[in-house]
Amino acid sequence: ADVTGKTAFITGGANGIGLGIARALVKAGANVVIADIRESSLAEAKASLAADAQVETVQLDVTDRAAFAAAADKAEARFGKIHMLIGNAGIGVMGPIMDARYDDWDWGMGVNLGGVINGLVTILPRIKAHGEGGQVVTTSSQSGLLPISYSAIYSAAKAAIIGITEAARGELGAINIGISAFCPGPVQSNISASGELRPEDKKQDTGYLQREQELEKRPNSPLWMSADEVGERVLAGIRANDLYILTHPEFAPGMQRRFDSIMASVPDEPHNDARAKEIFFLLDN
Ligand code: NAI
């Protein structure tokens, strides 16, 4: 999709990857509405983009559905129409599955998956209504394609995002809305400070609090990709309407191993032709 003169609504756009995407879009001539829970980061992000005519900010907790609709209203009031949804807000919720309590699951799934769902429910009808077409990017992760240990909650949300994106691809394509699942590897960002965003009501039944506080001290590695480089990759993916936007070729052998083991588990039995026909019908429609 062409982005020049179009408007993107970017959740979690005030730091890290979301800000990198915002920067790439602004450079390409798009308007951006940055929605983020961190009020102070919004002001800094706006200043660093230095393109006030193309930038609007709105404070938003993506788990708050009423506030999401109000934020979309604000975006439309400023720029007229929303063409792109970048569902990017996310938090790092990491730890052993044995320690995961309900507040950990609810917070992790609520922001990382629920935030993307709320974006789709709020903004897809608005894109459809103006009829000019659009583009959705859902921020998953490499761990949505290749889950690693100590990331059950995070990987569950990220894998679900890929499922949503793949399932929606054909339906949305039919009404001129593209959709991409963005699956980055390690990127420099503030994600290790996610713990400071955990709401009080998600601190009651948790096994992860101490781990989050330790994580906050972890510096970004210089080997991690820069958010601006990643933003340019997302822009290219938006332009090409790529189904998957990946960043790190180093994960290829792991993904190959994963899919090889899935294929190795396919029953080695003759196909039932009638059943095959029915299955192909489902896949084609
Ligand atoms: P970040 O912490 O730098 O940026 C995330 C932004 O989302 C922050 O500005 C934060 O304030 C905002 N946010 C968090 N909870 C929110 C909520 N409830 N409502 C609205 N805004 C909220 O982290 P990063 O790394 O840039 O993360 C962006 C996305 O990329 C996330 O979905 C993350 O899971 C994903 N990702 C990050 C990777 C990395 O290595 N940094 C790798 C793979 C995926």
Side-chain angles (χ1 to χ4, degrees), residues 81-111:
K81 292 166 186 151
I82 300 169
H83 303 91
M84 289 173 268
L85 167 64
I86 318 293
N88 166 83
I91 47 173
V93 197
M94 297 289 175
I97 189 153
M98 286 305 296
D99 293 350
R101 305 295 312 156
Y102 284 125
D103 281 351
D104 304 315
W105 279 104
D106 289 348
W107 185 46
M109 296 302 278
V111 176

Side-chain angles (χ1 to χ4, degrees), residues 228-246:
D228 284 347
E229 175 176 354
V230 160
E232 291 294 337
R233 287 172 191 263
V234 171
L235 174 62
I238 288 173
R239 286 181 162 144
N241 186 24
D242 290 332
L243 175 51
Y244 307 106
I245 303 172
L246 271 60

